[in-house]
Amino acid sequence: MNSSTEKLALQEKNHTLDDADAEVAAFRKPSTAAPLVDRIEDAVEAFFARFSFRALFGAQVNLDLRLSTVVDTLELLSSHHSQDHLLSALSLPANHQGLSTAQVETLRSQYGPNKPMQMQPPTLIALILTAILHPFVLLLILLAVVGGSTGDFETLTFLLCMSAVSVVIRVAQDVQSRNRAMELQAMVTATVTVSRIQADDVATTATVPIEDIVPGDVLVLAAGDMFPCDCILLTARDLHVAQAALTGESFPVEKVGLQAMDADAILPPLLERKHLAFGGTSVVSGIGSALVITTGTQTYMAAVAAKLQARQPPNSFERSVRRLTYLLVAFMVVMAPMTILINGLTNKNWAEAALFGLSVAVGLTPEMLPTIVNANLVRGAVAMMKKRTIVKRLDAIQVMGGITVLCTDKTGTLTSDHISISKCINARGEDCEQALKYAYLNAKLQTGMRSLLDAAIIAKATDPEHAAVQAAADEWAKVAEIPFDFQRRRLTIVAERSASTTNMDAADGDSRLMVTKGAVEELLARCTSLLPSATSTTPVPLAAEMVGNLSTTAREMNDRGLRVLAVAIKSTTKPASDISVADECALTFVGFLAFLDPPKDDAALAISQLTGLYVSIKVLTGDNLPVTLSVCSEVGIPTDHVYTGEELAAMTSDTEYAAAVRRGTIFAKLSPFQKASIVQELQAQGESVGFLGDGINDALAIKQADVGISVDTGMAVAKEAADVILLEKSLLLLSDAVVKGRRTCGNTLKYIKMTMSSNFGTVFSVLVAAAWLPYLPMTPLQLLVQNMMYDLSCVSLPWDTMDPEYLEKPRQWIASDIARFMVFVGPWSCIFDFVTFAVNQLYFKTVTADDISRAQTMWFVESILTHMLIINVLRTALVPFVQTRASNAVLATTGVMAMIAIYLPFSPVAPALSMLPWPVMFLPFLVLSLVGYVFLVQVTKVFYIRKFHTWL
């Protein structure tokens, strides 16, 4: 598409497309075939989903509710063009004015209370079981059970303690997040006015809780009322409804009663029908009455919410955890049996070989990973809480650091969700304060329901910058009014100026002034003259050519997403009581007022920050295309590739659809299912997707995304689906959360890569030693203590700093990258291990039992010290101690562990660990080993980064 005009033309051409069919057609499967490993993982997940703990301990939900059924019902009932036909279809009398108390009780027993289905928060037991079923915790428990079955109770105790610590940390944070989220989701009790039949068969109005509404009730509507369920409007006067939460439209939508419907007209899509109102929307202005047709779980909003009850799809973090678990299991399955076989054949002691093989399996496992991950996530959650951001799902913090695409709704997220005046211009396109003055006079003095446009006019005119406008308007008092109606689409007030006023415009020279504002076409048709300039007070004739030019100007502003009103005046000496609609003629055109929902002040900066962090922005909105293009161009989102919901629905090829989703930056006029489908397609293309929205129409996409984000002022259904809730509608919070997520991911990856590479090198050394040495290079207990000391030294990593370069791009756990790092970096420690074995064999000799204990002690000390020192090398892509330095917490923990390792052979617990003091002659060799190892790993790092363009 080359222009927004072409897109609007296509929308008009497909305007009669059935809404339900459009949604079904657009909700296509992602085109990219899932890899085999993903399909296997999904099958395993589906198997375990049959034993869902949410189903056991959470609220039971009705998963049989189908949106198509609700849509079909609404389609059928809203297709009736007359009130008589509708009431007949519902078996209601032709003079239906409301329900009696008995009828209400009968219908309530049949349909239940008017409460949409809601997910109940997980119970404490469910949270505990979810934490225990974390893949890493299960792996630790499995190794603990194996260790206990072989009599290795030290391993059993240690691993179970690590598992318990991880579970406690995770559950504690989940409980805190759950409680905070429940507070945010608490809704105040709402009431609605209905017409009910009393005992004397007289209809009277009553205020009842929304839970008491049943199908067949007649609602009495006024400004400020919320629709508690889906309704068909019977009567409507000046009725405007805000349905941004459902469709994403910034401006209130004009609604009409059923009696005003054209019987021969082709019905538009469901969400655009003017006589149909949906639960969750609200009346902005006007009055009317409506017949309730669906309640509770049968409403459109509840049907959308029902989709949220489905199993949460695994996000990118969970997929990474699964792959890493499979990688660890694969290495254990290979290395542990090899260790047992080689050691058993060498030493002929199969029981000892089996115990040592178990120690190898434990040594390969980063058993502190759940604790490190949870400590990282909790620290991130606390930091985000201080930034007024609630994390409902801890994993979401890590996922935030890896998102490559942020999909966002427009209304209330990019925009302020507040209508304001963009410009006031005259016939020549010049700024015109006269247009604002007369519009303010009209809006201020009219006594009907003030619309959002009236509020925007008053706010603009009362700004100190326009004090003269307010002062001039205050000189007038209303003497008559011709109210707004949808046929004329304009409103007129007649005012008299104060007798004391002396400074008046020439156009105001008569004692009475008619001021009319309204729709452009209708008002221009009533004008015969215009004020030629911003300061002119003498009208000139309005030529037909000028009318065309003014219409073009208004249309161009509409195409830029602006809502346009025209303002005209007329002087009159006619008595106020005689003024009527017939007097709205021969008007003088003053100017145009253009309105918009302006972008937030921080939107452009936030978009710039996110794109600077290599996060692509895509706008997914239900609002119309011109408005969306206008906002996006102002905040810096590219408008080159734009698609509407109807265009996506018309695509017959999965390849075409995938290409559109990949290229597109703006998607307008989308249904809730189309938003979710776009997110799903992006995920299938390998993107990690975040979605920000606050309306009913965003809930499905929020649920589908890797991380769903809402705001505390959003609809309850959106907050229930979200992983993160912003307490302020500020996009700047998102860029800050992305950076915190990357820091969390980086510090976790430090532990994973450092631990697995070091453990891999140690286990490889053990394998070689098993075939070479006539004794175990380290006792199982020493191997376990070494592993524990290394893990404890890493507890401080969540408080470590990250290289600024690392925070610039999205970061995720990639199992293949971790395996590559382990294979490339881990074996270098083996060189110095082998030298240690050789020195022990050839220089210090290993003849007696004490010699063997001393040799095991020296390798223990050398291994611990190299581990502690190498943390400073591996934690950064820069040169350690020169270009960067670890945090004080990391330096402290590694230093303490190093001193403990040196002291242990001389301590009272040395005999229990089968250790002996190491000789002084071992010290020079130890220093040379440490220096050589650091130098070799630093050189490896340089070549690794050059080849693979990554480190952590």
Side-chain angles (χ1 to χ4, degrees), residues 577-823:
S577 59
D578 295 338
I579 293 176
S580 66
V581 172
D583 294 298
E584 292 179 327
C585 63
L587 302 176
T588 298
F589 175 80
V590 178
F592 290 127
L593 275 69
F595 303 81
L596 82 163
D597 181 6
K600 291 181 177 177
D601 294 337
D602 61 359
L605 176 60
I607 296 298
S608 175
Q609 289 181 351
L610 288 169
T611 53
L613 293 170
Y614 292 89
V615 177
S616 301
I617 307 296
K618 294 181 185 288
V619 176
L620 279 58
T621 180
D623 206 351
N624 66 66
L625 187 57
V627 172
T628 305
L629 288 173
S630 173
V631 171
C632 291
S633 61
E634 287 195 47
V635 300
I637 296 176
T639 57
D640 299 332
H641 301 288
V642 181
Y643 298 91
T644 65
E646 289 181 337
E647 289 175 342
L648 295 177
M651 294 178 182
T652 57
S653 165
D654 283 346
T655 303
E656 181 186 11
Y657 180 75
V661 170
R662 183 173 60 254
R663 289 195 305 263
T665 54
I666 298 173
F667 300 86
K669 276 293 186 183
L670 298 178
S671 73
F673 288 94
Q674 287 178 314
K675 290 186 178 185
S677 176
I678 291 172
V679 171
Q680 189 179 21
E681 178 61 43
L682 288 169
Q683 290 171 324
Q685 294 177 13
E687 305 287 357
S688 181
V689 185
F691 190 96
L692 171 63
D694 60 357
I696 301 168
N697 59 334
D698 300 317
L700 289 176
I702 290 173
K703 177 84 170 184
Q704 177 64 44
D706 291 296
V707 56
I709 309 160
S710 189
V711 294
D712 70 325
T713 56
M715 298 297 291
V717 68
K719 291 188 289 186
E720 284 179 355
D723 304 308
V724 175
I725 297 177
L726 306 180
L727 299 185
E728 294 178 2
K729 281 190 173 184
S730 172
L731 291 175
L732 293 175
L733 294 179
L734 285 181
S735 57
D736 187 65
V738 166
V739 172
K740 282 183 171 59
R742 292 178 184 178
R743 183 176 293 114
T744 299
C745 181
N747 282 331
T748 306
L749 274 176
K750 285 178 186 178
Y751 172 75
I752 294 173
K753 287 190 171 183
M754 288 189 296
T755 303
M756 292 190 65
S757 60
S758 297
N759 289 355
F760 179 75
T762 300
V763 170
F764 191 74
S765 297
V766 167
L767 278 174
V768 174
W772 173 18
L773 302 177
Y775 58 90
L776 290 177
M778 199 182 296
T779 68
L781 182 57
Q782 289 171 347
L783 194 62
L784 188 62
V785 171
Q786 179 208 53
N787 202 41
M788 181 183 68
M789 290 180 64
Y790 179 72
D791 287 336
L792 289 175
S793 71
C794 295
V795 169
S796 59
L797 284 176
W799 287 266
D800 195 18
T801 57
M802 291 300 305
D803 297 337
E805 296 80 7
Y806 184 87
L807 303 176
E808 291 176 355
K809 294 182 179 180
R811 304 294 176 178
Q812 298 179 16
W813 292 9
I814 302 175
S816 58
D817 178 54
I818 295 172
R820 182 179 63 202
F821 186 95
M822 182 172 65
V823 172

Side-chain angles (χ1 to χ4, degrees), residues 6 105 134 329 367 393 417 478 618 630 762 788 800:
E6 292 175 338
E105 292 300 327
H134 190 283
V329 171
E367 58 276 345
R393 186 179 177 187
D417 202 13
K478 188 184 76 170
K618 294 181 185 288
S630 173
T762 300
M788 181 183 68
D800 195 18

Side-chain angles (χ1 to χ4, degrees), residues 140 376 434 497 618 705 753 812 913:
L140 294 182
N376 259 312
Q434 285 190 91
R497 71 174 186 268
K618 294 181 185 288
K753 287 190 171 183
Q812 298 179 16
L913 297 175

Side-chain angles (χ1 to χ4, degrees), residues 292-574:
V292 174
I293 55 176
T294 61
T295 59
T297 58
Q298 300 301 312
T299 62
Y300 188 89
M301 181 180 72
V304 172
K307 290 288 183 180
L308 304 179
Q309 309 301 320
R311 183 166 50 95
Q312 178 89 5
N315 58 36
S316 56
F317 174 74
E318 292 170 326
R319 294 192 294 269
S320 298
V321 167
R322 286 188 327 205
R323 289 186 171 90
L324 182 57
T325 304
Y326 299 152
L327 176 67
L328 286 172
V329 171
F331 270 99
M332 283 191 294
V333 167
V334 173
M335 301 294 280
M338 286 180 59
T339 303
I340 294 172
L341 182 63
I342 294 174
N343 197 268
L345 292 174
T346 303
N347 298 325
K348 309 302 181 182
N349 188 339
W350 290 99
E352 185 182 71
L355 189 59
F356 195 71
L358 175 62
S359 299
V360 168
V362 174
L364 271 175
T365 307
E367 58 276 345
M368 284 288 287
L369 182 59
T371 303
I372 296 293
V373 169
N374 288 334
N376 259 312
L377 296 180
V378 169
R379 183 170 183 264
V382 171
M384 292 175 71
M385 178 83 76
K386 294 177 181 178
K387 293 287 187 177
R388 298 186 59 75
T389 301
I390 303 298
V391 180
K392 288 175 55 184
R393 186 179 177 187
L394 273 181
D395 294 347
I397 299 173
Q398 181 116 346
V399 180
M400 286 292 291
I403 60 171
T404 55
V405 177
L406 175 65
C407 298
T408 176
D409 185 31
K410 176 189 69 67
T411 307
T413 50
L414 293 179
T415 65
S416 62
D417 202 13
H418 175 72
I419 306 301
S420 65
I421 293 180
S422 172
K423 59 176 66 177
C424 304
I425 60 174
N426 62 7
R428 297 168 59 178
E430 303 168 334
D431 288 340
C432 180
E433 201 160 80
Q434 285 190 91
L436 177 61
K437 179 183 72 173
Y438 291 122
Y440 172 59
L441 187 62
N442 180 288
K444 175 188 176 186
L445 297 181
Q446 65 104 358
T447 56
M449 291 293 182
R450 282 180 178 163
S451 68
L452 292 179
L453 302 185
D454 289 324
I457 292 170
I458 293 172
K460 180 82 169 180
T462 53
D463 187 281
E465 182 183 353
H466 301 286
V469 169
Q470 185 176 1
D474 288 344
E475 297 171 349
W476 295 83
K478 188 184 76 170
V479 295
E481 178 176 353
I482 306 175
F484 177 90
D485 64 61
F486 286 108
Q487 284 71 41
R488 293 166 40 252
R489 299 179 67 196
R490 58 184 179 269
L491 183 148
T492 297
I493 62 101
V494 183
E496 284 185 341
R497 71 174 186 268
S498 169
S500 61
T501 301
T502 57
N503 182 23
M504 285 297 168
D505 296 338
D508 305 341
D510 293 306
S511 61
R512 294 186 184 89
L513 180 69
M514 292 177 59
V515 181
T516 304
K517 77 174 191 305
V520 173
E521 296 83 358
E522 283 75 4
L523 203 61
L524 286 178
R526 315 296 293 180
C527 293
T528 58
S529 61
L530 61 83
L531 296 180
S533 68
T535 57
S536 174
T537 57
T538 304
V540 299
L542 178 61
E545 181 183 357
M546 178 57 71
V547 172
N549 293 340
L550 291 174
S551 297
T552 300
T553 299
R555 188 165 53 252
E556 289 174 349
M557 287 191 286
N558 284 330
D559 289 342
R560 293 198 298 272
L562 301 175
R563 179 88 168 264
V564 182
L565 289 181
V567 181
I569 60 173
K570 177 183 178 180
S571 297
T572 181
T573 57
K574 197 171 184 179

Side-chain angles (χ1 to χ4, degrees), residues 177-193:
S177 299
R178 179 196 65 176
N179 293 342
R180 182 61 175 143
M182 287 172 62
E183 293 175 10
L184 293 175
Q185 294 169 7
M187 300 179 65
V188 296
T189 301
T191 59
V192 65
T193 303

